[in-house]
Amino acid sequence: MSRLDVHIYEAAHELNQAGAGIVFYSRTLGLLHDLGFGDALHKFETIEPRGSLVFSLRKSDQPEGTCIHDMFLPGPMCTLHRAGFQQMILDALSPEIHVHLAHRLLAVDTPTDTEVVLKFTDGTTETCDLLVGADGLRSIVRPALLERLVQAGVLTEAEREDKIDPVWTGTYVYRGLIPSEELQAKYPGHPSLTKPTQYIGRDKHITSYPIAQGRYVNVVPTYSDFTQDHTHIASCGAGSKATNDEILPYFEGWEELATVLVENFKCIGKWPIMQLSPLPRYADGRIILLGNSAHAMSQHLGAGAGQSIEDGIILARCLNRALSKDAGPPTPAAIASIVSTYNTLRVPIGNYVQERARVQGKVYELAFLGEPALKPEVCLCMEKPQLAFPSEMHDTDAKDTVLGGVEENARAEVPTKDKDASKVEQMTNIYDLPPHYGALSELGKVSCLTTENYSWPSSRFVRRWDEEAERLLAN
């Protein structure tokens, strides 16, 4: 920190801890342990002989539900109250970091190549050498980055308009809690008291799991109209008020295990689930995006918070690597190196996880059969070549084309070791599905895809990019 003067500008007048449940899986937990949060998190982690039970899946849109399967993944997981996690982070905040409350960002300007000017709604301004926009779904920083990408010819005006605002996935989600003792009284031995469960059905599902060391059950009913996927709606900020009576008609005819949850949870609000169209870069010049401002994604893999943490860790390593080479203030060359390396390492994984989360929402609601990425002819088979990585490229000008979202990647011409490989196979395949996938029943495919989506940290794609990160950040 000695060479960095870090200032955080927060719109809120005070730092309140709020929210419902949050889940961390082994990859994110490993990163948090490395940051020194192991003792604080240990009491929340669960480890079972076969690994952690991530979710028990049930088909519940019928009077008598059926178990689909229990999904286990290796390594620990933890479920905790969001407020507890936020407080843990605040308690660890370095005294060298300056936090400025009640500073709502209005606009970003880059009058020169060496400074960024922040304009706040109270009329004040600040200048910085490097701006990290972690300002969420409705980011004020993102438009400034996208304008730079238009000026650089990376995006067209039409593409900028598609990416500047978040888009609706067609899904609404309700969030709330049930005190465990109340659920036990209503339905003794209810499975959600002790294990994470997904109650799935056509165009609707309910996510539930115990949190706060079993004192509460987190309940998240969800319903979707997928004809509205990738549309723009006015309401996409904080949750609006909602009641249990509003939710119950959506789950009429479902098994009692599901309906008892929506009848009795304390609803704290209703949110439209938004995401960004994939960005080709998360940084340019002296502007960097982090978290939801870069890759806002649906909640269906519980990976959004983890991806934000990965952004921060990779950015910190990029800073450390660049600043360790020279004494004194960061040079323009050092900042360019930080931005380039951050883009190289974070854009592929962020966009990859974002796309898997989107598809998993359709898997939970039995609306995935028409997904192009899941058709047998485009599923990645073991013998097909993998995406080219920077260390394997001969044409450095092609480097940026490999870093965009799925749509951009489908158009990219990328040199690979196998010159005869289809670029569609190279760039758009995000799944390693088994040869018998096409012969599975619908619920069999639900089992297969859910395990595959939640196993993204161990996919060949992510493992290769992790190797690339260690190579690029080694010195």
Side-chain angles (χ1 to χ4, degrees):
M1 294 295 295
S2 60
R3 295 181 59 196
L4 296 174
D5 183 18
V6 179
H7 293 256
I8 297 176
Y9 295 93
E10 167 60 48
H13 288 263
E14 59 180 341
L15 296 177
N16 288 326
Q17 289 74 59
I22 190 169
V23 180
F24 290 129
Y25 301 104
S26 57
R27 181 179 174 93
T28 302
L29 286 172
L31 296 173
L32 290 170
H33 276 250
D34 291 343
L35 291 175
F37 293 111
D39 290 342
L41 289 168
H42 182 70
K43 59 186 176 182
F44 298 106
E45 293 179 4
T46 59
I47 304 176
E48 302 184 19
R50 295 170 57 194
S52 293
L53 173 65
V54 177
F55 279 112
S56 177
L57 272 68
R58 293 185 59 83
K59 189 174 188 301
S60 297
D61 58 345
Q62 53 202 42
E64 296 292 330
T66 60
C67 179
I68 300 174
H69 88 293
D70 287 347
M71 181 175 66
F72 288 82
L73 292 177
M77 64 175 286
C78 75
T79 58
L80 63 161
H81 199 284
R82 187 179 296 269
F85 177 71
Q86 291 173 333
Q87 189 60 55
M88 182 182 76
I89 297 298
L90 289 173
D91 290 343
L93 197 64
S94 168
E96 297 182 44
I97 294 176
H98 310 281
V99 179
H100 308 268
L101 300 179
H103 277 68
R104 183 173 293 279
L105 189 62
L106 177 65
V108 175
D109 190 18
T110 53
T112 71
D113 291 336
T114 60
E115 64 179 355
V116 182
V117 178
L118 311 180
K119 300 177 181 180
F120 297 96
T121 55
D122 63 0
T124 61
T125 63
E126 297 290 346
T127 302
C128 62
D129 300 308
L130 189 65
L131 172 62
V132 179
D135 53 341
L137 190 69
R138 283 291 191 183
S139 172
I140 302 299
V141 179
R142 185 166 62 245
L145 173 72
L146 295 179
E147 179 59 30
R148 290 187 59 88
L149 298 185
V150 170
Q151 296 300 319
V154 176
L155 292 177
T156 65
E157 289 283 356
E159 289 169 334
R160 188 261 305 270
E161 290 305 306
D162 177 60
K163 297 175 186 300
I164 199 166
D165 290 321
V167 294
W168 189 31
T169 62
T171 296
Y172 278 107
V173 62
Y174 298 83
R175 294 187 173 100
L177 303 172
I178 304 178
S180 295
E181 59 184 17
E182 291 186 17
L183 181 58
Q184 174 65 18
K186 294 284 186 180
Y187 197 116
H190 193 285
S192 294
L193 289 165
T194 56
K195 64 180 180 179
T197 307
Q198 296 280 3
Y199 303 88
I200 77 170
R202 196 75 59 189
D203 296 329
K204 291 173 277 290
H205 76 282
I206 303 168
T207 302
S208 68
Y209 49 85
I211 65 169
Q213 297 172 295
R215 296 193 300 274
Y216 297 93
V217 173
N218 191 54
V219 179
V220 188
T222 302
Y223 75 90
S224 304
D225 176 1
F226 290 114
T227 66
Q228 299 301 306
D229 190 13
H230 206 84
T231 59
H232 291 272
I233 58 174
S235 174
C236 61
S240 58
K241 292 183 179 180
T243 66
N244 296 56
D245 289 340
E246 176 183 335
I247 307 167
L248 280 169
Y250 293 114
F251 295 94
E252 184 177 353
W254 282 46
E255 66 171 329
E256 187 181 1
L257 282 174
T259 58
V260 72
L261 296 175
V262 294
E263 288 170 354
N264 293 284
F265 84 125
K266 308 300 189 291
C267 183
I268 63 174
K270 168 187 176 182
W271 285 260
I273 298 303
M274 313 295 292
Q275 69 173 35
L276 285 181
S277 296
L279 302 184
R281 296 182 190 172
Y282 295 167
D284 190 80
R286 291 173 179 255
I287 299 176
I288 297 173
L289 299 182
L290 184 153
N292 279 350
S293 63
H295 46 62
M297 63 186 68
S298 59
Q299 85 282 16
H300 301 298
L301 292 183
Q307 284 303 292
S308 300
I309 292 168
E310 290 194 30
D311 288 346
I313 290 174
I314 290 295
L315 179 57
R317 293 185 65 185
C318 291
L319 285 162
N320 181 66
R321 178 177 178 272
L323 297 181
S324 66
K325 295 181 179 297
D326 301 293
T331 64
I335 290 178
S337 174
I338 292 165
V339 166
S340 175
T341 307
Y342 179 78
N343 271 329
T344 297
L345 297 178
R346 285 307 305 150
V347 176
I349 292 182
N351 289 353
Y352 174 81
V353 178
Q354 181 191 58
E355 175 65 4
R356 283 200 171 208
R358 184 193 68 81
V359 173
Q360 185 58 36
K362 291 193 171 185
V363 172
Y364 280 145
E365 301 193 354
L366 305 177
F368 62 92
L369 293 179
E371 273 294 306
L374 301 176
K375 293 181 179 178
E377 62 268 26
V378 298
C379 290
L380 186 63
C381 298
M382 295 301 293
E383 69 272 11
K384 292 180 182 176
Q386 180 57 289
L387 174 68
F389 293 83
S391 60
E392 299 172 348
M393 290 184 178
H394 306 294
D395 179 3
T396 56
D397 291 335
K399 189 175 194 176
D400 285 332
T401 66
V402 77
L403 303 179
V406 170
E407 182 179 349
E408 288 85 352
N409 284 343
R411 301 195 301 267
E413 293 285 356
V414 179
T416 68
K417 292 181 177 179
D418 185 342
K419 298 298 184 181
D420 296 326
S422 161
K423 68 180 179 181
V424 173
E425 293 172 355
Q426 289 284 316
M427 305 306 299
T428 65
N429 300 329
I430 64 169
Y431 288 101
D432 288 316
L433 298 179
H436 64 278
Y437 171 80
L440 295 173
S441 66
E442 183 180 41
L443 293 185
K445 290 177 179 176
V446 167
S447 294
C448 178
L449 289 172
T450 300
T451 301
E452 168 71 12
N453 279 330
Y454 275 88
S455 299
W456 67 264
S458 60
S459 67
R460 288 184 298 150
F461 184 90
V462 170
R463 293 200 310 270
R464 290 294 309 277
W465 278 109
D466 285 347
E467 292 170 2
E468 198 73 9
E470 293 309 308
R471 185 187 71 82
L472 290 177
L473 298 173
N475 298 320

